[in-house]
Amino acid sequence: MPADAALSRPFKWRTEWIAAAAAIICYVNVLPNDFCYDDDPIVRFNEKVNEPGHWLTIWTTDYWSHTRDQSPNRDLLYRPIALTSYRLVRAVTGPHPLPQHLVNVLLHALVAALLVRLCRRMGLSDAISLAAGVLFAVLPIHSEVVAGVIGRADILATLGVLLALLAHRRSLLAASQSTTACWRIAAAFAAFGAMGAKENGVSVIPLVVVWDAFQTRSRRVSDGGPNWWRWSTLRRLMYLLAPAVLYFGLRYYALEGHLYQRPALTKTVNVLVDAPPWQHVLGVLQLWGMYWAKTFWPSLLCVNYSINSVRLATSPLDPHVLLGTLITVALMIGAVAGWRKNAPTITLLAAAIAVSYAPTANAFVLMQVFFAERVWYLPSVWATALIVLIATPLLRMPVWRAVGIILVLTMAARCWIRNEEWRDNGTLYAAAYRDHPNA
C-alpha cells in the first residue's frame, strides 16, 4: 500500500467519528427530557410497548391500533420496526425516557457517520464528505426527529436506506458470486428495515435503482464495468422484490385487507383538502419551498402546523412558491448538465432528493399532515451533500471556511435551544402557542 494511502486511512475513519461526535454534541441536552407529544400514546402508554406478550402484535396490527376505540377513523400506519425498537429498549432499560432518548441520539450520530461514508463512495473528497456529514448532524430542522422519541421511525428508515445503498455497492464490487449474494442479502434486510420503520422507507427501492445506475455508469466509464441498460440489470436488482413482497404482505394483513386507506381529511390537518387544481400545484411548490427555507433559516421550529399556522399560497409570487420553483428548476438543470458532462454526482443527488421526498410531497396522495419538519429527515441526507458539493469552490477560501464554521456553530446552538423546548409537554406546548397562537 502506498504511504499516502496508508496515512489517509485513519483520517477517513476520523471523518466519520467527527460527524458522529457533532451529532451527539448537538443533541446531548435532550437526554434529561421527558416523553413529549406523541411519545405518550406511542411509547409511554402503549400496551404493545410496555406490557408482556405483544411482540407478535406489533407485526400484525397497525401503528395506532391501541387507540381503536377512541379513534375508529385513525390514520392506518404500519411501522413494526419502529415499535419493536421502542419495546426492545423498554424491555432492557425500563420505562424511563432517558434510554429512549439516548438511542435516538446514537442512531442520529450513526446516520451522520454513514452519510460521510456514502459521500466517499460517490467519489467525493474526505473534506467534502466530512462537511456533508457535519452539516446533516447539526441541521436544527432535525430536532423534531431526534428530540421526540417517536422520531426514531424517521431515523431508522433513513438508516435502512443508507445501509441498503452501501451494501448494494459492495455487491457490485464483490469478487465472487457468494460474496455478491451475501451483500445483496444484507441490502435486502436493510431495505426491509427501512420500509418497516416508516412508510416513506419504500423509497429505498427506487433509490437503490438510481444508485445502481450511478455506480455502473462510473465503473463503465473508468474500467469498462457493466452497462446499466442490459437484461443483467433486471437480474441484479431482482433481489429487491423479496423485502418488498414481505413488507407489503405483512402490511396488507395488519391493515385488515388494505395496503393503505384514505382517511376523512379536513383542512384542519391538511390545507390542500378541497383546493382547486391550480392552488394544489401552488401548495405543492409552497411546501417544497418551506422545507428548503427551514433548512437554511430555521428561526421557527414547531411540533405541529395546523390550518391557521400555514396559509395555503394563492399566488405564484408567494415567497415559498418562488423558492420551491427556483430550486426545482435549478435541480433539473443541474441534473441534466451533470449527466451530459459525465459528472453524474449532482444528477444522483438531485434524483435522490426527489425520490425520497416524493412519498410525502402531497402531490399525488394527500397526507394526514401538510407540513411536518420530521418529513425532511431522509431527503436532507441528499440535500446536505448537494449543498456542500455546490459550495465547495467557496469553501476553498479561508474566509468562507470561517463562515462555514460559524454557520455550523450557530446551527448547533439553535439545536440546543430547540431541544430545551422539548423538556416536557408543558414547555413544548408553550413554545407552540408562542409561535402559532391562532393555530
Side-chain angles (χ1 to χ4, degrees):
M1 180 184 296
D4 57 345
L7 291 173
S8 67
R9 288 182 63 86
F11 178 74
K12 291 179 184 296
W13 281 103
R14 284 200 295 269
T15 57
E16 296 171 3
W17 283 105
I18 291 170
I24 292 172
I25 291 171
C26 278
Y27 290 100
V28 68
N29 66 326
V30 306
L31 297 181
N33 290 358
D34 198 359
F35 291 116
C36 293
Y37 196 52
D38 282 345
D39 292 351
D40 284 337
I42 290 297
V43 181
R44 174 183 275 172
F45 302 122
N46 189 347
E47 63 181 17
K48 287 185 286 189
V49 172
N50 295 282
E51 297 180 8
H54 286 278
W55 290 101
L56 182 60
T57 307
I58 289 173
W59 291 85
T60 57
T61 58
D62 67 87
Y63 198 59
W64 292 99
S65 64
H66 58 287
T67 65
R68 184 189 304 269
D69 295 337
Q70 301 90 341
S71 305
N73 296 319
R74 66 195 180 279
D75 193 14
L76 291 182
L77 304 175
Y78 184 63
R79 301 172 182 175
I81 298 294
L83 279 175
T84 298
S85 76
Y86 306 143
R87 180 168 177 79
L88 182 61
V89 175
R90 169 65 173 82
V92 173
T93 64
H96 309 291
L98 189 149
Q100 299 282 4
H101 287 303
L102 178 61
V103 170
N104 271 26
V105 173
L106 294 178
L107 288 174
H108 177 59
L110 179 57
V111 171
L114 288 177
L115 175 56
V116 174
R117 175 166 293 194
L118 192 70
C119 286
R120 288 210 305 267
R121 299 298 181 262
M122 286 188 284
L124 302 180
S125 68
D126 293 338
I128 294 176
S129 302
L130 173 61
V134 171
L135 180 60
F136 175 84
V138 304
L139 281 182
I141 196 173
H142 293 159
S143 61
E144 309 310 289
V145 172
V146 184
V149 174
I150 61 156
R152 193 180 308 160
D154 294 273
I155 303 176
L156 289 172
T158 304
L159 180 63
V161 168
L162 296 182
L163 289 174
L165 294 176
L166 289 168
H168 181 77
R169 179 185 181 275
R170 293 297 296 268
S171 75
L172 294 176
L173 302 176
S176 65
Q177 290 186 349
S178 59
T179 306
T180 297
C182 289
W183 280 114
R184 288 182 181 169
I185 290 172
F189 273 100
F192 178 78
M195 291 183 280
K198 192 174 181 179
E199 285 74 11
N200 64 343
V202 298
S203 63
V204 66
I205 295 177
L207 283 170
V208 171
V209 174
V210 170
W211 179 252
D212 184 273
F214 170 77
Q215 287 293 320
T216 53
R217 177 185 172 93
S218 300
R219 292 176 61 200
R220 186 172 67 253
V221 170
S222 62
D223 58 8
N227 196 325
W228 164 249
W229 298 111
R230 289 181 179 175
W231 284 109
S232 59
T233 302
L234 186 60
R235 295 196 302 271
R236 191 165 62 241
L237 298 170
M238 187 68 71
Y239 75 90
L240 293 174
L241 288 177
V245 169
L246 178 59
Y247 168 72
F248 284 110
L250 289 171
R251 181 182 180 89
Y252 187 81
Y253 179 83
L255 301 188
E256 300 175 349
H258 303 279
L259 287 178
Y260 74 99
Q261 50 85 311
R262 295 179 178 176
L265 293 175
T266 66
K267 281 188 175 293
T268 303
V269 296
N270 193 322
V271 295
L272 287 174
V273 171
D274 297 329
W278 66 269
Q279 196 173 26
H280 192 145
V281 173
L282 290 182
V284 170
L285 289 171
Q286 174 191 11
L287 181 61
W288 175 240
M290 288 171 64
Y291 283 116
W292 283 100
K294 293 281 186 181
T295 300
F296 292 110
W297 188 254
S299 59
L300 189 150
L301 299 169
C302 189
V303 70
N304 185 277
Y305 293 83
S306 64
I307 185 170
N308 289 328
S309 59
V310 177
R311 297 292 184 180
L312 187 60
T314 58
S315 168
L317 299 180
D318 177 274
H320 288 126
V321 174
L322 285 175
L323 179 61
T325 302
L326 290 174
I327 290 177
T328 300
V329 173
L331 287 177
M332 292 176 64
I333 294 174
V336 172
W339 192 260
R340 293 184 63 181
K341 293 181 179 180
N342 199 29
T345 304
I346 291 179
T347 307
L348 169 66
L349 293 174
I353 294 171
V355 168
S356 57
Y357 175 71
T360 56
N362 276 299
F364 311 105
V365 178
L366 293 185
M367 298 171 54
Q368 279 278 42
V369 62
F370 176 69
F371 180 83
E373 287 146 3
R374 60 187 180 274
V375 164
W376 194 237
Y377 192 83
L378 175 55
S380 69
V381 167
W382 320 109
T384 50
L386 183 59
I387 291 169
V388 171
L389 183 60
I390 293 173
T392 298
L394 290 176
L395 295 176
R396 293 194 179 103
M397 295 181 281
V399 62
W400 284 107
R401 283 202 297 271
V403 170
I405 292 173
I406 293 173
L407 180 62
V408 166
L409 294 175
T410 303
M411 287 187 169
R414 182 68 181 98
C415 287
W416 268 65
I417 293 171
R418 180 55 180 163
N419 294 340
E420 287 296 320
E421 294 175 346
W422 276 84
R423 186 181 306 117
D424 54 44
N425 279 327
T427 56
L428 185 63
Y429 294 144
Y433 180 77
R434 176 200 66 208
D435 295 329
H436 299 300
N438 297 320

